[in-house]
């Protein structure tokens, strides 16, 4: 259809940009709404007898019934408010052509995504499932069954940096379970329809002609999720007959338990959705949403537990490292303190350092030299001076004038050694000799003094013997 072939009223309001898709009795275009300058999806019903009109989709053989079906779809979409359901802007008829103006979704349908990218990550599959089920939950609550759940009717797109936002399209063959809102003519129209939808995603009970329930839509959802998780359709054949035969087989499709790429909770949810026995399948979309929420919370708790365990383990390692660093720091501080104390003590004057005399004696004893007596400060100074090879001054305080032994005197050196030997015994021996001499002199004086108490009177005529005064003897007594 070109711009010129549009009904006059539509051509004044919309400009056709491209063909998006076609069905048995309608086509969908991307168009520009001229008054608002926005992109829209324009769905236009084909006129009866048009070359693209597929009479097989007109089950009653009357184009009027298709027009009613088209109008019913518009009324259904206008009642849905879920953000995951396509939004309708306008509905009407121009020159006998029924049309709908809907939200244009600039994204990809799941059939193209599956074909181009293969299997999705489990969390991504669960995210898409939650949005799709939210749309169906609202529709089912209002008594609306979609009846054509398939990847081509599910669009995903990115908006404001958030990817995989979902829109459910094409409520063209909806079934209304609450007939009180519609006249008997519309109810009769529904009853005339048979096997409308896509066999690959049809529920077995619907193929057998049984009542279509919310669980029938959920079966199609399960087969869509199976393809997203596995990267392939549950039914591989492209033959409609073989596909219908597979759907009617008693054995259910399932994701095997040994598939470790899909977590257990998601496998269980998908397998329950595609159970062929109606009694074993989820009954409502809300039940599936609850299980998906539980899965998400479980995964979050598992992640938090793993993170908590990692944090605790890391804290233990850090605590152990901190403890080791603390001990190492204490040892280093103790070592540094010891070095500082040793340095301070090693710089002190030996005279003011306890144990200096003992160290001098030990050092000189190791050299094999006589150890001087250091009973007085002077002797200690003389000993240190002699050890350094310094000539001491004359000892004038005693008036002796006798020089102290020096390091230059050969007699004060140890044979075969250049190390001076301090001779301190000479001074000590001299002092001892002087003291002994004085004691001997006093003793002799006492012995020579006469006892006048019992001595008889001398005869004046008797000559007094001459007593030799020891003190007058210039010859000093020999030292013993």
């Amino acid at each position: 259809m070109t711009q010129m072939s549009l009904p006059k009223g539509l051509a004044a309001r919309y400009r056709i940009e491209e063909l998006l898709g076609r069905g048995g009795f309608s086509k969908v275009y991307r168009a520009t709404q001229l008054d608002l300058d926005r992109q829209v999806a324009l769905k236009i019903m084909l006129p009866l007898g048009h070359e693209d009109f597929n009479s097989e989709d007109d089950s009653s053989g009357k184009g009027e019934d298709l027009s009613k079906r088209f109008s019913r779809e518009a009324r259904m979409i206008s009642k849905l408010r879920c953000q995951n359901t396509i939004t309708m802007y306008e509905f009407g008829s121009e020159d006998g052509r029924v049309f709908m103006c809907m939200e244009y979704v600039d994204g990809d349908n799941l059939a193209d995504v599956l074909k181009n990218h293969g299997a999705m990550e489990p969390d991504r599959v669960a995210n898409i499932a939650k949005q799709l089920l939210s749309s169906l939950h609202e529709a089912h609550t209002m008594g609306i069954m979609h009846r054509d759940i398939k990847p081509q009717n599910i669009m995903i797109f990115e908006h404001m940096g958030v990817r995989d936002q979902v829109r459910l399209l094409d409520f063209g063959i909806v079934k209304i379970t609450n007939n009180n809102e519609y006249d008997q003519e519309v109810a009769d129209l529904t009853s005339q329809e048979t096997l409308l939808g896509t066999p690959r995603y049809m529920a077995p009970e619907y193929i057998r002609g049984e009542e279509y329930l919310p669980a029938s839509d959920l079966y199609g959802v399960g087969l869509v999720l199976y393809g997203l998780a596995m990267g392939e359709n549950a039914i591989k054949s492209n033959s409609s007959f073989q596909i219908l035969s597979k759907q009617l087989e008693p054995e259910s499709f399932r994701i095997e338990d040994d598939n470790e790429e899909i977590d257990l909770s998601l496998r269980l949810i998908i397998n329950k959705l595609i159970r062929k026995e109606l009694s074993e399948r989820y009954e409502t979309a809300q039940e599936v949403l609850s299980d998906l929420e539980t899965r998400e919370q479980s995964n979050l708790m598992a992640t938090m537990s793993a993170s908590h365990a990692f944090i605790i383990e890391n804290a233990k390692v850090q605590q152990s490292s901190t403890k080791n660093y603390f001990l190492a720091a204490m040892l280093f501080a103790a070592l540094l303190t010891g070095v500082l104390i040793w340095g301070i003590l090693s710089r002190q004057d030996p005279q003011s350092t306890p144990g200096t005399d003992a160290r001098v004696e030990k050092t000189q004893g190791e050299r094999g030299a006589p150890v001087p007596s250091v009973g007085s400060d002077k002797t200690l100074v003389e000993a240190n001076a002699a050890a350094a090879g310094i000539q001491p001054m004359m000892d004038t305080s005693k008036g002796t004038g006798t020089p102290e032994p020096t390091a230059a005197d050969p007699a004060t050196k140890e044979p075969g050694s250049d190390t001076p030997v301090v001779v301190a015994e000479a001074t000590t021996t001299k002092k001892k000799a002087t003291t002994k001499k004085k004691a001997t002199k006093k003793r002799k004086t006492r012995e020579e003094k006469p006892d006048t108490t019992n001595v008889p009177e001398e005869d004046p005529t008797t000559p007094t013997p001459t007593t030799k005064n020891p003190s007058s003897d210039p010859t000093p007594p020999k030292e013993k």
Side-chain angles (χ1 to χ4, degrees), residues 366-381:
E366 292 174 352
R367 294 175 179 173
V371 179
S373 174
V374 288
S376 65
D377 293 343
K378 181 178 178 182
T379 306
L380 180 60
V381 172

Side-chain angles (χ1 to χ4, degrees), residues 270-405:
I270 294 176
N271 287 342
K272 187 174 181 180
L273 280 169
I274 57 179
R275 296 292 297 177
K276 292 186 177 180
E277 285 294 332
L278 193 59
S279 60
E280 298 176 357
R281 201 183 309 157
Y282 286 105
E283 293 184 5
T284 66
Q286 184 58 49
E287 293 178 358
V288 192
L289 287 170
S290 297
D291 283 355
L292 287 171
E293 186 68 24
T294 301
R295 171 192 176 273
E296 184 176 350
Q297 293 178 358
S298 299
N299 290 348
L300 179 61
M301 292 298 296
T303 302
M304 292 177 62
S305 299
S307 301
H308 182 65
F310 174 77
I311 291 172
I312 292 177
E313 187 65 25
N314 193 39
K316 289 180 179 180
V317 173
Q318 291 182 353
Q319 183 178 6
S320 177
S321 301
T322 302
K323 184 177 180 180
N324 293 337
Y325 293 151
F326 179 71
L327 293 176
M330 290 183 63
L331 291 175
F332 178 76
L335 179 62
L336 182 61
T337 302
V339 171
L340 291 175
I341 293 174
W342 179 83
I344 293 171
L345 293 179
S346 64
R347 295 192 189 97
Q348 290 182 353
D349 188 353
Q351 297 183 16
S352 61
T353 304
T356 302
D357 297 345
R359 289 197 302 271
V360 172
E361 292 176 3
K362 181 177 179 180
T363 302
Q364 294 186 355
E366 292 174 352
R367 294 175 179 173
V371 179
S373 174
V374 288
S376 65
D377 293 343
K378 181 178 178 182
T379 306
L380 180 60
V381 172
E382 291 174 354
N384 291 334
I390 301 173
Q391 179 67 34
M393 295 178 64
M394 298 292 292
D395 187 4
T396 57
S397 62
K398 297 181 181 180
T400 59
T402 304
E404 293 295 330

Side-chain angles (χ1 to χ4, degrees), residues 1-12 14-19 22 27-31 42 44 46-47 50-52 97:
M1 178 181 294
T2 64
Q3 182 69 21
M4 296 301 295
S5 62
L6 277 176
K8 185 177 180 180
L10 289 181
Y14 300 97
R15 182 178 67 247
I16 299 298
E17 305 293 349
E18 65 174 326
L19 177 66
R22 68 181 65 193
K27 288 185 177 182
V28 182
Y29 299 91
R30 180 174 67 85
L42 190 62
I44 303 176
L46 298 175
H50 189 277
E51 60 181 0
D52 292 330
R97 307 284 295 278

Side-chain angles (χ1 to χ4, degrees), residues 36 77 113 123 132 175 213 238 246 268 311 329 386 444:
L36 297 178
I77 295 177
V113 174
D123 287 343
L132 176 58
K175 176 179 176 62
L213 299 171
N238 292 323
K246 270 287 185 182
L268 293 176
I311 291 172
K444 287 183 179 182

